[in-house]
Amino acid sequence: MNKTAVNGAERKINRWGYFFIAPFVVVFCLFNLYPTVYTFLLSFSDLRGLRSDFSIVGFENYVKLVTDPYFWEAVGNTFIMWGWNFVPQLGIALLLSIWLSDVRLKLKGRGLFRALIYMPNLLTAASVAMLFRSLFGYPIGPVNQFLQALGFYSEVVRADGTVVHEAFNFFRNVTVTRGVVAFIQWWMWYGHTVIMLMAGITSIPTSLYESAVVDGANSRQTTIHITLPLLRPMMLYILVTSLIGGMQMLDIPFLLTDMRGAPDFKIRTTAVYIYNVAFQGRNDYAYAAAISVGMFIITVILALLVYLFVQDRSDLKRKK
């Protein structure tokens, strides 16, 4: 076969390649690239209300964003609930992944355990949020009924001094509500973290563990000196992706509360604040777009800082 025929066959194969990737490119441009570019454009405009026309106002929205106390409060709320979720998520997932991957423990039904652990991740966040809102409902939610059966009540002192036993109104307590949001986030995502860590553990060469066993190392020593150091890249990936997902926390705090982050707006995340600004009240789409861009910038900066601080220093020296 001559060179011309080979080149013709390669061009034909390339054309088919373009044909097969075209649906993805079209969908990506329509539903991802275009909304992203349009959001950046809106952030420099004055679009609000039912208007369809707008004019460019420069950095006016960003100046307002930097001095907006409600935005920074929402950022703080987001990080608090993300931290309450991520720390136990990574710790428990790491423990379970090590147990389920250790062949010396000879655990039976490991595949079943992995499936059960991952199952909450298959549920929609909206349905889980409504479920927990019903469970902790006031005054006759199942949790309140259970506590009342055990003799636990909320004591309320009336104006005349009499003490009345009432059910707990969980969603009027900031700490409890934040805890419920963090628990739901943890429960839904720790299974995914377990699977990712197990994938990282199985990629570690077994020869390292065999050599350590020959040298007399036990399970604890191999975990500390082999598993954890070699899991650093996977844990860095989980940390960054969890940070990105945490900054986009919307449906659970939105549906679990009054859609505005009650009580006292302490459950209002940045994503909930964007929804409130864009679709409630003044419908200030331009400022909501600026908040979205601000959240994107904060997420990128934090992800880069996490990458630089967590990355192995020896890798940096080798690159230099």
Side-chain angles (χ1 to χ4, degrees), residues 67-250:
T67 58
D68 185 359
Y70 300 110
F71 168 72
W72 295 111
E73 182 184 26
V75 171
N77 295 336
T78 304
F79 277 107
I80 289 173
M81 288 182 285
W82 173 74
W84 287 11
N85 148 52
F86 180 74
V87 173
Q89 178 188 144
L90 183 61
I92 296 175
L94 185 61
L95 183 63
L96 289 174
S97 61
I98 292 174
W99 280 352
L100 294 174
S101 301
D102 194 341
V103 295
R104 286 178 290 183
L105 293 179
K106 298 180 180 180
L107 294 175
K108 295 182 180 180
R110 286 186 293 179
L112 177 61
F113 280 118
R114 286 196 292 263
L116 292 176
I117 289 171
Y118 188 77
M119 281 184 66
N121 191 244
L122 302 177
L123 303 174
T124 60
S127 60
V128 175
M130 298 308 296
L131 170 64
F132 274 81
R133 185 175 177 85
S134 299
L135 289 175
F136 288 88
Y138 174 84
I140 55 172
V143 175
N144 262 315
Q145 292 181 7
F146 175 74
L147 292 176
Q148 290 174 12
L150 296 178
F152 293 98
Y153 299 90
S154 174
E155 293 187 352
V156 177
V157 181
R158 291 182 175 177
D160 57 359
T162 58
V163 178
V164 179
H165 289 170
E166 292 186 354
F168 292 97
N169 196 339
F170 294 101
F171 295 116
R172 283 192 178 182
N173 186 290
V174 174
T175 304
V176 173
T177 309
R178 283 177 172 175
V180 172
V181 172
F183 175 81
I184 295 174
Q185 292 287 128
W186 167 82
W187 179 68
M188 290 190 64
W189 289 100
Y190 86 103
H192 177 268
T193 307
V194 170
I195 299 300
M196 297 297 294
L197 290 174
M198 289 185 65
I201 293 174
T202 54
S203 66
I204 300 174
T206 56
S207 58
L208 296 177
Y209 293 102
E210 293 171 354
S211 300
V213 172
V214 170
D215 292 337
N218 53 34
S219 297
R220 182 180 61 83
Q221 292 170 329
T222 55
T223 299
I224 294 174
H225 298 289
I226 297 177
T227 305
L228 293 181
L230 294 180
L231 273 182
R232 182 190 295 267
M234 181 58 71
M235 288 193 287
L236 174 61
Y237 170 79
I238 292 171
L239 175 58
V240 172
T241 53
S242 177
L243 174 63
I244 296 172
M247 290 295 291
Q248 299 173 351
M249 196 187 308
L250 170 65

Side-chain angles (χ1 to χ4, degrees), residues 5-64:
V6 172
N7 291 336
E10 289 180 352
R11 284 195 295 271
K12 186 176 181 180
I13 293 174
N14 289 338
R15 284 198 297 269
W16 278 107
Y18 293 132
F19 174 77
F20 283 114
I21 68 172
F24 167 78
V25 174
V26 172
V27 172
F28 174 79
C29 291
L30 287 177
F31 298 102
N32 197 319
L33 182 61
Y34 171 72
T36 301
V37 175
Y38 188 63
T39 299
F40 274 93
L41 175 63
L42 283 184
S43 67
F44 295 98
S45 71
D46 61 350
L47 180 64
R48 63 170 57 93
L50 300 177
R51 294 165 45 196
S52 60
D53 60 315
F54 58 85
S55 57
I56 302 300
V57 296
F59 290 92
E60 181 179 318
N61 291 318
Y62 290 99
V63 173
K64 178 182 177 182

